[in-house]
Amino acid sequence: MTITYLKYGKPDVERAQDDAKTKIVVEQTLKDIEVRGDAALREFSAKFDNYTPDYFRLSEQEISDLIEDLSERELADIKFAQRQVRNFAQAQRDAMSDIEVETLPGVILGHKNIPVQSVGCYVPGGKFPMVASAHMSVATAAVAGVPRIIACTPPFKGKPNPAVIAAMHLGGAHEIYVMGGIQAVGAMAIGTETIEPVHMLVGPGNAFVAEAKRQLFGRVGIDLFAGPTETMVIADETVDAELCATDLLGQAEHGYNSPAVLVTNSEKLARSTMTEIDRLLKIIPTADTAGKSWTDYGEIILCETYDEMLEIADEIASEHVQVMTDRDDWFLEHMTCYGALFLGPRTNVANGDKVIGTNHTLPTKKAGRYTGGLWVGKFLKTHSYQKIITDEAAAEIGAYGSRLCMLEGFVGHAEQCNLRVRRYGRQNVPYGEGAE
């Protein structure tokens, strides 16, 4: 096996140091929100966003006024994208069924899919107004039937962004707040004097938002660890450097710490892509962020075989994986660890980010090894139930349960079973002994 790194990103130890600094900042901020509530929110909003409204929650009139700022074309585009997301989410929801089966005569087992009762959706927007994130979280939660959906987004250039607010409102948000970062995520999870806490947090964000969700997990549920953005291109000589470079930088522009990795079995393509990236960084308007990400987190990995490409891709478990090879479906069949796959040169990650219909809130930091991305099922809790409808079944299951509880030494458990054997099976089971 020969795997060669033609370009390395920042070493893991330095990335861990960055994570440690972020962790401390988040801990302090969340503690302050818990202690001081709304006063802390106002302080952080003024400090980080230079935004000091009378109320963070938008009124219905404010929402209507913001939506009127959009052109007919802009509003139509938002509605088109939401239809694609809703349609796919509804198809997923339709694939999830409640069940009820009779496993033995008189024994009924089942499960119900119940919506999470309140969800807080974070929609990034400080650097770029992430309109699509509202579709992915708010609209998908609405399809799942969540009865209370609140949404937070930071101000953009000092005020609410009309397109983001429109997407939240059209997606089905019941409450919309203009606040960002750690303070928004903390407020939704912890609650303040004016914000009732939610049961679950969803949505992507920067390193601070992702860390805040990690620290709040347990107090509330979360969808997954989503952020910062990661992208991987798996390519061979069936495509050219322009495609590879464009797809790498298209995601690297998200922020200063967005990993972008090319995995290829062609040294010619690898080196041409590096040259093309240098060219594009001279003309792309977001070169400040994309270039920083590429310098610190960009990697080019040269493999000899497709099997090696598969192995390294599963090891990295990137959020977005663009596959452009002579065997795209082979990667679809064999890859096991990733956020989402984008197969062939005709599609791209931006399609998935904005409009095609699959959800763009995806696992990062190798979380694709144990979870997929946000989908309608994340907003549903599958709860089981059981009932016994005959005396004979109560006695039969009770007897088995009694003996198995005694096998483990749980006398109190056994007596729960024994009581049913005595009452419904009319058997005299001595107290604290297993049923016959």
Side-chain angles (χ1 to χ4, degrees), residues 66-375:
L66 286 163
I67 293 174
E68 287 181 2
D69 287 343
L70 297 174
S71 68
E72 289 185 12
R73 181 64 175 271
E74 289 168 335
L75 198 56
D77 286 347
I78 290 171
K79 290 180 178 179
F80 176 85
Q82 285 204 352
R83 282 197 300 275
Q84 311 320 304
V85 173
R86 283 183 181 275
N87 288 344
F88 189 60
Q90 187 63 58
Q92 291 178 311
R93 179 64 184 93
D94 292 343
M96 301 178 67
S97 301
D98 294 351
I99 64 170
E100 185 173 281
V101 295
E102 189 168 9
T103 57
L104 290 170
V107 176
I108 308 297
L109 307 181
H111 77 225
K112 293 180 62 179
N113 295 300
I114 301 173
V116 175
Q117 293 299 287
S118 59
V119 169
C121 302
Y122 184 72
V123 178
K127 185 181 292 290
F128 301 104
M130 298 285 285
V131 179
S133 288
H135 317 327
M136 307 300 172
S137 56
V138 177
T140 307
V143 171
V146 176
R148 178 180 176 237
I149 304 169
I150 77 172
C152 286
T153 190
F156 181 69
K157 297 181 178 179
K159 59 183 181 180
N161 180 268
V164 174
I165 301 304
M168 289 175 160
H169 177 72
L170 295 171
H174 304 108
E175 304 166 30
I176 297 176
Y177 298 85
V178 181
M179 67 175 86
I182 306 169
Q183 61 269 28
V185 174
M188 289 191 288
I190 297 168
T192 71
E193 300 93 321
T194 58
I195 302 174
E196 183 182 346
V198 298
H199 296 174
M200 182 180 182
L201 293 171
V202 302
N206 62 21
F208 292 95
V209 169
E211 173 62 20
K213 287 170 65 179
R214 189 192 69 79
Q215 292 189 22
L216 290 163
F217 177 58
R219 179 191 289 257
V220 295
I222 65 170
D223 49 357
L224 58 144
F225 301 125
T229 291
E230 305 166 350
T231 200
M232 171 185 288
V233 172
I234 298 175
D236 60 17
E237 288 192 342
T238 59
V239 292
D240 56 50
E242 183 183 24
L243 271 171
C244 295
T246 299
D247 286 345
L248 290 166
L249 291 182
Q251 294 302 303
E253 73 176 359
H254 263 285
Y256 66 90
N257 57 351
S258 298
V261 180
L262 172 64
V263 178
T264 183
N265 55 2
S266 168
E267 184 170 353
K268 177 184 177 183
L269 179 63
R271 297 196 181 280
S272 296
T273 298
M274 286 192 283
T275 301
E276 181 67 6
I277 285 173
D278 290 341
R279 183 187 74 83
L280 291 175
L281 283 173
K282 294 176 183 177
I283 59 174
I284 190 170
T286 52
D288 285 350
T289 50
K292 180 65 173 173
S293 282
W294 178 246
T295 298
D296 288 349
Y297 292 88
E299 295 183 340
I300 292 186
I301 304 171
L302 181 62
C303 304
E304 284 191 356
T305 68
Y306 288 99
D307 285 330
E308 289 177 356
M309 294 163 70
L310 174 66
E311 180 180 342
I312 198 73
D314 272 339
E315 179 182 327
I316 293 172
S318 185
E319 175 188 15
H320 306 102
V321 181
Q322 172 84 40
V323 182
M324 298 182 289
T325 69
D326 66 5
R327 59 196 71 192
D328 300 341
D329 286 343
W330 181 84
F331 280 95
L332 173 61
E333 180 181 355
H334 291 93
M335 279 196 70
T336 59
C337 302
Y338 55 89
L341 290 182
F342 303 82
L343 299 168
R346 291 179 180 83
T347 192
N348 63 83
V349 175
N351 282 347
D353 276 349
K354 309 303 177 188
V355 67
I356 207 166
T358 54
N359 207 291
H360 80 191
T361 304
L362 300 167
T364 62
K365 293 184 179 292
K366 294 184 180 291
R369 295 175 299 174
Y370 58 82
T371 185
L374 183 60
W375 70 295

